[in-house]
Amino acid sequence: MRIELEKRPQVSKLFGLLSPLLALVLALIAGTIMFAIMGKDPVEALNAFFVEPLLEVWSLHELAIKAGPLILIAVGLCLCYRSNNWNIGAEGQFTMGAVAGSFIPIIFTDWHSPMVLPLMLVAGAIGGALYAAIPALLKAHFNTNEILTSLMLVYIAQLFLDWLSRGPWRDPQGHNFPQSIDFPPEAVLPAIIPDYWADIAGRAHWGIVFAVVAAVLAWFLMKYTLKGFEITVLGQSARAGRFAGFSSRKMVWFAFVFSGALSGLAGISEVSGSIGHLQPAISPGYGFTAIIVAFLARLNPLGAILSGLVLALTYLGGEAAQLSPGISAKAASVFQGLLLFFVLSCDTLIYYKIRIVWSRVRGGAA
């Protein structure tokens, strides 16, 4: 007996639209079972994960802070994956964008100008794009597997950041803590809502605005431009794209550089807007979680806004669940993994049907 996947001759549009919602419901059911096995009240746990973070103004600001990088990275990944280029190293590009953008306030400490912050953001995007260009170069010219190269580069970026924070860029007045100097006010991404609106003011910065704008522009690019058509064609069939005059090699470069630039922008936005200095740990895994965001959005840039908020809620809910039901922070990671599993499973069953093949063992005479 063997199990085979047979491509369906026709795909249901209804189930295609409902697939992310179905995956979310299945993840909630699996999460309920998981919490029950852990000896926790499932209702209390799910309430801590998905309801409590939405009840206070400050927690809504925190939700926006966590959703910003997830959406921004996922938008780039949506275009990358739709072109059939598998960038798994967005976490490394996020890190290198933060490093590249932080170079200006850390090295040029005496430069106080309104141009500091814009140049930091540009440098962050360039840093992420250049780091993403490494797996693009290896795939386009040496036919190297981009999944492996982009993933391995994540660890190089993280170790490089750790070395900088503990070594050359460590604050000499920082009491030996592994972090850089605090960024001056002109190098800090400002809050969206000013402090004088006390009732609704909070820490949410312009990173979430960058993310929403990027999602809208990427959606427009995919739907109304020739480049979007090229991404779709080459993603579905490289051979058909060649007949149309499109270059697979150029698309590898475009997809990785575009994705890396948005990841780098997310990195410097996070450091400048939320942290205020460079340190060894600047991300709870945004680059990897953004992969789930992209697939939950069905590789639609606009859908990444909603799915990014959902995944950001699991981060925030994971922190809240540690306080009230006493659930480990790892439970949030498990829930995110369950969500990705069900998203991919639902998509697989929409496009393929399972067929069990029974084969008989025939014996022959010697």
Side-chain angles (χ1 to χ4, degrees):
M1 182 189 76
R2 67 177 186 274
I3 299 176
E4 294 181 349
L5 292 177
E6 182 180 342
K7 193 172 181 64
R8 296 182 184 274
Q10 192 170 6
V11 178
S12 170
K13 292 184 178 180
L14 177 62
F15 279 105
L17 292 173
L18 294 179
S19 174
L21 182 60
L22 178 61
L24 181 59
V25 171
L26 292 174
L28 288 174
I29 294 172
T32 301
I33 297 172
M34 178 182 69
F35 294 136
I37 293 174
M38 294 169 61
K40 307 295 181 181
D41 182 359
V43 175
E44 184 184 3
L46 291 175
N47 180 71
F49 260 90
F50 297 104
V51 179
E52 286 183 12
L54 302 176
L55 300 180
E56 300 289 342
V57 172
W58 70 266
S59 61
L60 293 176
H61 280 269
E62 296 300 315
L63 181 67
I65 289 172
K66 287 178 167 53
L70 287 175
I71 297 170
L72 201 51
I73 298 170
V75 168
L77 294 181
C78 284
L79 269 65
C80 204
Y81 294 163
R82 288 183 68 169
S83 68
N84 201 27
N85 291 287
W86 299 95
N87 180 10
I88 310 298
E91 182 79 0
Q93 295 141 31
F94 177 95
T95 301
M96 293 306 289
V99 169
S102 300
F103 177 85
I104 297 174
I106 292 175
I107 301 301
F108 302 101
T109 54
D110 296 329
W111 187 30
H112 303 284
S113 166
M115 289 301 297
V116 170
L117 184 58
L119 287 176
M120 287 172 59
L121 298 175
V122 172
I126 293 174
L130 290 176
Y131 204 62
I134 298 174
L137 172 68
L138 293 174
K139 179 180 181 179
H141 297 278
F142 300 98
N143 200 28
T144 309
N145 188 303
E146 74 273 24
I147 296 176
L148 296 177
T149 54
S150 61
L151 180 59
M152 288 189 292
L153 284 168
V154 171
Y155 304 104
I156 297 174
Q158 290 174 338
L159 290 171
F160 182 63
L161 170 61
D162 188 87
W163 172 72
L164 284 176
S165 302
R166 299 177 189 275
W169 286 4
R170 187 173 63 184
D171 183 5
Q173 308 297 325
H175 305 287
N176 221 26
F177 284 101
Q179 65 183 50
S180 72
I181 60 171
D182 290 333
F183 292 170
E186 61 272 8
V188 174
L189 202 59
I192 300 175
I193 303 176
D195 291 338
Y196 52 78
W197 288 351
D199 292 340
I200 57 174
R203 294 200 317 132
H205 52 77
W206 281 82
I208 183 66
V209 178
F210 296 159
V212 173
V213 171
V216 174
L217 292 178
W219 170 81
F220 181 85
L221 181 147
M222 288 298 303
K223 193 169 181 66
Y224 295 108
T225 69
L226 178 62
K227 178 59 71 174
F229 178 70
E230 181 181 350
I231 291 171
T232 302
V233 171
L234 286 172
Q236 293 179 353
S237 172
R239 186 167 180 266
R242 286 194 297 272
F243 279 117
F246 300 142
S247 170
S248 297
R249 180 174 293 181
K250 289 181 180 178
M251 180 53 62
V252 171
W253 281 99
F254 173 82
F256 271 92
V257 169
F258 181 87
S259 176
L262 291 186
S263 298
L265 179 60
I268 187 56
S269 298
E270 177 70 10
V271 169
S272 173
S274 304
I275 302 174
H277 56 256
L278 206 62
Q279 60 187 31
I282 61 173
S283 168
Y286 287 136
F288 295 118
T289 306
I291 298 173
I292 306 175
V293 173
F295 279 104
L296 187 60
R298 307 287 306 221
L299 304 184
N300 184 319
L302 285 184
I305 298 175
L306 180 58
S307 58
L309 289 169
V310 172
L311 267 296
L313 189 59
T314 65
Y315 273 125
L316 206 58
E319 296 172 1
Q322 294 178 63
L323 300 177
S324 48
I327 295 174
S328 167
K330 299 299 181 183
S333 300
V334 173
F335 185 82
Q336 291 171 357
L338 287 171
L339 190 54
L340 178 60
F341 171 77
F342 284 117
V343 167
L344 297 179
S345 299
C346 289
D347 278 359
T348 300
L349 293 177
I350 286 171
Y351 288 97
Y352 298 90
K353 57 184 177 181
I354 298 175
R355 189 162 64 95
I356 299 177
V357 179
W358 298 90
S359 58
R360 295 181 179 178
V361 179
R362 296 180 180 179

PDB file of all heavy atoms in Angstrom, residues 258-285:
ATOM      1  N   PHE A 258      14.225  42.709  -3.468  1.00  0.00           N
ATOM      2  CA  PHE A 258      12.996  43.344  -2.988  1.00  0.00           C
ATOM      3  C   PHE A 258      12.644  42.833  -1.596  1.00  0.00           C
ATOM      4  O   PHE A 258      12.356  43.613  -0.677  1.00  0.00           O
ATOM      5  CB  PHE A 258      11.860  43.060  -3.973  1.00  0.00           C
ATOM      6  CG  PHE A 258      10.552  43.680  -3.596  1.00  0.00           C
ATOM      7  CD1 PHE A 258      10.252  44.982  -3.975  1.00  0.00           C
ATOM      8  CD2 PHE A 258       9.607  42.982  -2.853  1.00  0.00           C
ATOM      9  CE1 PHE A 258       9.038  45.568  -3.616  1.00  0.00           C
ATOM     10  CE2 PHE A 258       8.398  43.546  -2.497  1.00  0.00           C
ATOM     11  CZ  PHE A 258       8.112  44.851  -2.881  1.00  0.00           C
ATOM     12  N   SER A 259      12.664  41.527  -1.429  1.00  0.00           N
ATOM     13  CA  SER A 259      12.346  40.933  -0.137  1.00  0.00           C
ATOM     14  C   SER A 259      13.352  41.354   0.932  1.00  0.00           C
ATOM     15  O   SER A 259      12.989  41.694   2.065  1.00  0.00           O
ATOM     16  CB  SER A 259      12.323  39.405  -0.272  1.00  0.00           C
ATOM     17  OG  SER A 259      12.120  38.787   0.973  1.00  0.00           O
ATOM     18  N   GLY A 260      14.639  41.340   0.581  1.00  0.00           N
ATOM     19  CA  GLY A 260      15.672  41.726   1.536  1.00  0.00           C
ATOM     20  C   GLY A 260      15.570  43.186   1.938  1.00  0.00           C
ATOM     21  O   GLY A 260      15.809  43.531   3.111  1.00  0.00           O
ATOM     22  N   ALA A 261      15.211  44.058   1.001  1.00  0.00           N
ATOM     23  CA  ALA A 261      15.080  45.477   1.313  1.00  0.00           C
ATOM     24  C   ALA A 261      13.973  45.718   2.332  1.00  0.00           C
ATOM     25  O   ALA A 261      14.138  46.492   3.283  1.00  0.00           O
ATOM     26  CB  ALA A 261      14.814  46.270   0.034  1.00  0.00           C
ATOM     27  N   LEU A 262      12.830  45.064   2.163  1.00  0.00           N
ATOM     28  CA  LEU A 262      11.742  45.227   3.126  1.00  0.00           C
ATOM     29  C   LEU A 262      12.103  44.630   4.479  1.00  0.00           C
ATOM     30  O   LEU A 262      11.756  45.183   5.523  1.00  0.00           O
ATOM     31  CB  LEU A 262      10.466  44.585   2.584  1.00  0.00           C
ATOM     32  CG  LEU A 262       9.816  45.286   1.386  1.00  0.00           C
ATOM     33  CD1 LEU A 262       8.479  44.633   1.045  1.00  0.00           C
ATOM     34  CD2 LEU A 262       9.607  46.772   1.650  1.00  0.00           C
ATOM     35  N   SER A 263      12.823  43.509   4.474  1.00  0.00           N
ATOM     36  CA  SER A 263      13.263  42.917   5.742  1.00  0.00           C
ATOM     37  C   SER A 263      14.257  43.838   6.450  1.00  0.00           C
ATOM     38  O   SER A 263      14.199  44.018   7.673  1.00  0.00           O
ATOM     39  CB  SER A 263      13.905  41.549   5.489  1.00  0.00           C
ATOM     40  OG  SER A 263      12.981  40.643   4.922  1.00  0.00           O
ATOM     41  N   GLY A 264      15.181  44.424   5.684  1.00  0.00           N
ATOM     42  CA  GLY A 264      16.133  45.358   6.271  1.00  0.00           C
ATOM     43  C   GLY A 264      15.456  46.602   6.816  1.00  0.00           C
ATOM     44  O   GLY A 264      15.827  47.108   7.894  1.00  0.00           O
ATOM     45  N   LEU A 265      14.456  47.111   6.102  1.00  0.00           N
ATOM     46  CA  LEU A 265      13.695  48.255   6.586  1.00  0.00           C
ATOM     47  C   LEU A 265      12.970  47.912   7.885  1.00  0.00           C
ATOM     48  O   LEU A 265      12.909  48.729   8.813  1.00  0.00           O
ATOM     49  CB  LEU A 265      12.695  48.712   5.519  1.00  0.00           C
ATOM     50  CG  LEU A 265      11.799  49.897   5.876  1.00  0.00           C
ATOM     51  CD1 LEU A 265      12.626  51.138   6.190  1.00  0.00           C
ATOM     52  CD2 LEU A 265      10.809  50.185   4.744  1.00  0.00           C
ATOM     53  N   ALA A 266      12.436  46.704   7.959  1.00  0.00           N
ATOM     54  CA  ALA A 266      11.788  46.253   9.190  1.00  0.00           C
ATOM     55  C   ALA A 266      12.789  46.192  10.341  1.00  0.00           C
ATOM     56  O   ALA A 266      12.470  46.551  11.484  1.00  0.00           O
ATOM     57  CB  ALA A 266      11.149  44.884   8.977  1.00  0.00           C
ATOM     58  N   GLY A 267      14.020  45.760  10.039  1.00  0.00           N
ATOM     59  CA  GLY A 267      15.037  45.643  11.072  1.00  0.00           C
ATOM     60  C   GLY A 267      15.421  46.987  11.668  1.00  0.00           C
ATOM     61  O   GLY A 267      15.446  47.154  12.897  1.00  0.00           O
ATOM     62  N   ILE A 268      15.712  47.977  10.824  1.00  0.00           N
ATOM     63  CA  ILE A 268      16.112  49.278  11.363  1.00  0.00           C
ATOM     64  C   ILE A 268      14.915  49.985  12.000  1.00  0.00           C
ATOM     65  O   ILE A 268      15.085  50.739  12.972  1.00  0.00           O
ATOM     66  CB  ILE A 268      16.765  50.146  10.250  1.00  0.00           C
ATOM     67  CG1 ILE A 268      17.341  51.419  10.856  1.00  0.00           C
ATOM     68  CG2 ILE A 268      15.800  50.446   9.132  1.00  0.00           C
ATOM     69  CD1 ILE A 268      18.344  51.204  11.980  1.00  0.00           C
ATOM     70  N   SER A 269      13.705  49.746  11.510  1.00  0.00           N
ATOM     71  CA  SER A 269      12.517  50.327  12.140  1.00  0.00           C
ATOM     72  C   SER A 269      12.319  49.773  13.545  1.00  0.00           C
ATOM     73  O   SER A 269      11.959  50.514  14.475  1.00  0.00           O
ATOM     74  CB  SER A 269      11.273  50.054  11.289  1.00  0.00           C
ATOM     75  OG  SER A 269      11.377  50.637  10.013  1.00  0.00           O
ATOM     76  N   GLU A 270      12.565  48.484  13.710  1.00  0.00           N
ATOM     77  CA  GLU A 270      12.424  47.863  15.023  1.00  0.00           C
ATOM     78  C   GLU A 270      13.463  48.409  15.999  1.00  0.00           C
ATOM     79  O   GLU A 270      13.145  48.749  17.145  1.00  0.00           O
ATOM     80  CB  GLU A 270      12.574  46.343  14.892  1.00  0.00           C
ATOM     81  CG  GLU A 270      12.530  45.576  16.201  1.00  0.00           C
ATOM     82  CD  GLU A 270      11.161  45.561  16.850  1.00  0.00           C
ATOM     83  OE1 GLU A 270      10.181  45.978  16.200  1.00  0.00           O
ATOM     84  OE2 GLU A 270      11.074  45.133  18.018  1.00  0.00           O
ATOM     85  N   VAL A 271      14.719  48.511  15.554  1.00  0.00           N
ATOM     86  CA  VAL A 271      15.788  48.991  16.438  1.00  0.00           C
ATOM     87  C   VAL A 271      15.589  50.465  16.773  1.00  0.00           C
ATOM     88  O   VAL A 271      15.727  50.888  17.926  1.00  0.00           O
ATOM     89  CB  VAL A 271      17.167  48.763  15.777  1.00  0.00           C
ATOM     90  CG1 VAL A 271      18.261  49.475  16.543  1.00  0.00           C
ATOM     91  CG2 VAL A 271      17.469  47.275  15.701  1.00  0.00           C
ATOM     92  N   SER A 272      15.253  51.258  15.760  1.00  0.00           N
ATOM     93  CA  SER A 272      15.112  52.693  15.963  1.00  0.00           C
ATOM     94  C   SER A 272      13.819  53.052  16.698  1.00  0.00           C
ATOM     95  O   SER A 272      13.812  53.964  17.532  1.00  0.00           O
ATOM     96  CB  SER A 272      15.144  53.411  14.612  1.00  0.00           C
ATOM     97  OG  SER A 272      14.852  54.776  14.746  1.00  0.00           O
ATOM     98  N   GLY A 273      12.734  52.340  16.400  1.00  0.00           N
ATOM     99  CA  GLY A 273      11.448  52.715  16.971  1.00  0.00           C
ATOM    100  C   GLY A 273      11.118  52.053  18.287  1.00  0.00           C
ATOM    101  O   GLY A 273      10.488  52.667  19.158  1.00  0.00           O
ATOM    102  N   SER A 274      11.534  50.799  18.476  1.00  0.00           N
ATOM    103  CA  SER A 274      11.109  50.044  19.656  1.00  0.00           C
ATOM    104  C   SER A 274      12.201  49.871  20.701  1.00  0.00           C
ATOM    105  O   SER A 274      11.924  49.868  21.898  1.00  0.00           O
ATOM    106  CB  SER A 274      10.613  48.648  19.232  1.00  0.00           C
ATOM    107  OG  SER A 274       9.583  48.751  18.280  1.00  0.00           O
ATOM    108  N   ILE A 275      13.457  49.715  20.263  1.00  0.00           N
ATOM    109  CA  ILE A 275      14.543  49.367  21.192  1.00  0.00           C
ATOM    110  C   ILE A 275      15.377  50.590  21.553  1.00  0.00           C
ATOM    111  O   ILE A 275      15.677  50.826  22.727  1.00  0.00           O
ATOM    112  CB  ILE A 275      15.426  48.260  20.594  1.00  0.00           C
ATOM    113  CG1 ILE A 275      14.579  47.025  20.276  1.00  0.00           C
ATOM    114  CG2 ILE A 275      16.553  47.893  21.562  1.00  0.00           C
ATOM    115  CD1 ILE A 275      15.328  45.927  19.544  1.00  0.00           C
ATOM    116  N   GLY A 276      15.772  51.371  20.572  1.00  0.00           N
ATOM    117  CA  GLY A 276      16.520  52.588  20.831  1.00  0.00           C
ATOM    118  C   GLY A 276      18.021  52.416  20.874  1.00  0.00           C
ATOM    119  O   GLY A 276      18.761  53.373  21.086  1.00  0.00           O
ATOM    120  N   HIS A 277      18.516  51.212  20.666  1.00  0.00           N
ATOM    121  CA  HIS A 277      19.947  50.938  20.581  1.00  0.00           C
ATOM    122  C   HIS A 277      20.123  49.555  19.953  1.00  0.00           C
ATOM    123  O   HIS A 277      19.148  48.815  19.795  1.00  0.00           O
ATOM    124  CB  HIS A 277      20.618  51.001  21.963  1.00  0.00           C
ATOM    125  CG  HIS A 277      20.001  50.084  22.970  1.00  0.00           C
ATOM    126  ND1 HIS A 277      19.158  50.540  23.969  1.00  0.00           N
ATOM    127  CD2 HIS A 277      20.073  48.735  23.141  1.00  0.00           C
ATOM    128  CE1 HIS A 277      18.752  49.519  24.710  1.00  0.00           C
ATOM    129  NE2 HIS A 277      19.284  48.412  24.210  1.00  0.00           N
ATOM    130  N   LEU A 278      21.350  49.225  19.635  1.00  0.00           N
ATOM    131  CA  LEU A 278      21.643  47.909  19.069  1.00  0.00           C
ATOM    132  C   LEU A 278      22.071  46.970  20.184  1.00  0.00           C
ATOM    133  O   LEU A 278      22.845  47.348  21.073  1.00  0.00           O
ATOM    134  CB  LEU A 278      22.750  48.034  18.026  1.00  0.00           C
ATOM    135  CG  LEU A 278      22.787  46.971  16.919  1.00  0.00           C
ATOM    136  CD1 LEU A 278      21.515  47.013  16.100  1.00  0.00           C
ATOM    137  CD2 LEU A 278      23.990  47.192  16.015  1.00  0.00           C
ATOM    138  N   GLN A 279      21.567  45.743  20.151  1.00  0.00           N
ATOM    139  CA  GLN A 279      21.888  44.739  21.159  1.00  0.00           C
ATOM    140  C   GLN A 279      21.877  43.361  20.512  1.00  0.00           C
ATOM    141  O   GLN A 279      21.383  43.209  19.390  1.00  0.00           O
ATOM    142  CB  GLN A 279      20.878  44.802  22.314  1.00  0.00           C
ATOM    143  CG  GLN A 279      19.445  44.543  21.882  1.00  0.00           C
ATOM    144  CD  GLN A 279      18.440  44.781  22.996  1.00  0.00           C
ATOM    145  OE1 GLN A 279      18.647  45.621  23.866  1.00  0.00           O
ATOM    146  NE2 GLN A 279      17.334  44.043  22.975  1.00  0.00           N
ATOM    147  N   PRO A 280      22.407  42.333  21.189  1.00  0.00           N
ATOM    148  CA  PRO A 280      22.505  41.006  20.545  1.00  0.00           C
ATOM    149  C   PRO A 280      21.157  40.421  20.135  1.00  0.00           C
ATOM    150  O   PRO A 280      21.074  39.742  19.109  1.00  0.00           O
ATOM    151  CB  PRO A 280      23.179  40.149  21.621  1.00  0.00           C
ATOM    152  CG  PRO A 280      23.956  41.112  22.442  1.00  0.00           C
ATOM    153  CD  PRO A 280      23.156  42.370  22.466  1.00  0.00           C
ATOM    154  N   ALA A 281      20.115  40.650  20.910  1.00  0.00           N
ATOM    155  CA  ALA A 281      18.789  40.098  20.591  1.00  0.00           C
ATOM    156  C   ALA A 281      17.857  41.239  20.204  1.00  0.00           C
ATOM    157  O   ALA A 281      17.469  42.044  21.063  1.00  0.00           O
ATOM    158  CB  ALA A 281      18.231  39.337  21.784  1.00  0.00           C
ATOM    159  N   ILE A 282      17.500  41.336  18.945  1.00  0.00           N
ATOM    160  CA  ILE A 282      16.605  42.403  18.481  1.00  0.00           C
ATOM    161  C   ILE A 282      15.314  41.846  17.900  1.00  0.00           C
ATOM    162  O   ILE A 282      14.427  42.605  17.522  1.00  0.00           O
ATOM    163  CB  ILE A 282      17.298  43.290  17.427  1.00  0.00           C
ATOM    164  CG1 ILE A 282      17.690  42.465  16.205  1.00  0.00           C
ATOM    165  CG2 ILE A 282      18.508  43.996  18.027  1.00  0.00           C
ATOM    166  CD1 ILE A 282      18.222  43.295  15.051  1.00  0.00           C
ATOM    167  N   SER A 283      15.203  40.522  17.821  1.00  0.00           N
ATOM    168  CA  SER A 283      14.026  39.915  17.184  1.00  0.00           C
ATOM    169  C   SER A 283      13.641  38.632  17.905  1.00  0.00           C
ATOM    170  O   SER A 283      14.506  37.812  18.218  1.00  0.00           O
ATOM    171  CB  SER A 283      14.324  39.602  15.712  1.00  0.00           C
ATOM    172  OG  SER A 283      13.322  38.778  15.151  1.00  0.00           O
ATOM    173  N   PRO A 284      12.347  38.445  18.167  1.00  0.00           N
ATOM    174  CA  PRO A 284      11.882  37.164  18.718  1.00  0.00           C
ATOM    175  C   PRO A 284      11.650  36.101  17.654  1.00  0.00           C
ATOM    176  O   PRO A 284      10.994  35.090  17.915  1.00  0.00           O
ATOM    177  CB  PRO A 284      10.566  37.559  19.406  1.00  0.00           C
ATOM    178  CG  PRO A 284      10.047  38.683  18.579  1.00  0.00           C
ATOM    179  CD  PRO A 284      11.261  39.428  18.072  1.00  0.00           C
ATOM    180  N   GLY A 285      12.174  36.352  16.451  1.00  0.00           N
ATOM    181  CA  GLY A 285      11.973  35.413  15.344  1.00  0.00           C
ATOM    182  C   GLY A 285      11.021  35.940  14.298  1.00  0.00           C
ATOM    183  O   GLY A 285      10.332  35.171  13.623  1.00  0.00           O
TER     184      GLY A 285
END
